[in-house]
Structure formats: C-alpha cells, structure tokens
Amino acid sequence: MLLLTQDLRARLIANAAAHHEAMQRGLREPDPAPVVKFFNPCGAATWLFSELDADGDTLFGLCDLGFGCPELGSASLTEIAAVTLPLGLTIERDLCFEGRFPLTVYADAARLIGRITEKEARLEAAAAARANELPSP
C-alpha cells in the first residue's frame, strides 16, 4: 500500500513549513490536526502524523507502539514502510481517517487512556480540558 499520496504529502509538508516559519518568527507554534493515520494490522501500533520534514522522510506526530505510553515524536517514513509483518502484511494507512482535533488533543487523550483513541467523547473531553488550561490570547 502506498502510505502517502501526493495530496497527503503536500499537506504534511505545508504543516511542517508553517511550524518552521512560526519558530523562525518567534510566533506561537501551530497545532494542526493529524493528516494521516498508520497502523499495524497485526498489532497495536498506531501513528498519527501532522508534519513531514523537507527531507521527505521524517514525520512528526503521535506515536503509539502499543506499550501503553504514546508520545509525540518523529519517525522515519522509510522505516515504517519497510516493516514486514506476518503473512506478508505491512503497515497500512487508514483510508477513512480524518483528523478532527489538533494533534495535542489526540496526545492528551492518548496519555490519559494509554493508547491513541478516536472516540469522540474522549477527544472532546481532552479538547475542553486543554481549552481551560490555555491562557486567553
């Protein structure tokens, strides 16, 4: 399976460029919704990515290898694509995934329950808690 279409790649690169520009200008870092979800069809590993560096390989997002401690970080697209699983399976892209909340909301919810979730109630609760913590602009 093709993990990244041209459209997904362009969206991920645009998010990375916006992040880089904000850092260069001393502005608040953007918090985009994840663009793509990868998963292990044989196990618990799941990744939600929001950025792709200019090198075309380094992805940034929420990584959950299924050990109960999801975290924000970077991963190599090349390494993820090279994973071979039993029965000749590989890491897959969730064709139905659509990020509805900022990446930090997914990260907050995942830390609370120990895994990435797409449950609307969990994500809404994490979004509300985050909104109550952030100072007004």
Side-chain angles (χ1 to χ4, degrees), residues 84-90:
T84 53
L85 302 165
L87 305 172
L89 296 172
T90 59

Side-chain angles (χ1 to χ4, degrees), residues 9 18 25 28 31 35-36 38 45 74 86 95 98 102 105-106 117:
R9 184 178 293 275
R25 297 178 66 200
R28 188 178 193 174
D31 187 13
V35 172
V36 66
F38 297 154
S74 297
L95 300 176
E98 187 175 324
V105 170
Y106 285 92
T117 183

Side-chain angles (χ1 to χ4, degrees), residues 47-110:
W47 300 262
L48 300 179
F49 291 116
S50 61
E51 299 179 21
L52 177 63
D53 285 354
D55 65 10
D57 186 57
T58 306
L59 293 155
F60 176 79
L62 182 59
C63 306
D64 180 0
L65 298 180
F67 301 122
C69 48
E71 61 185 31
L72 291 169
S74 297
S76 166
L77 177 60
T78 303
E79 290 180 13
I80 291 171
V83 172
T84 53
L85 302 165
L87 305 172
L89 296 172
T90 59
I91 300 300
E92 295 185 19
R93 175 171 37 97
D94 183 339
L95 300 176
C96 297
F97 177 76
E98 187 175 324
R100 298 177 319 277
F101 295 88
L103 183 64
T104 55
V105 170
Y106 285 92
D108 290 349

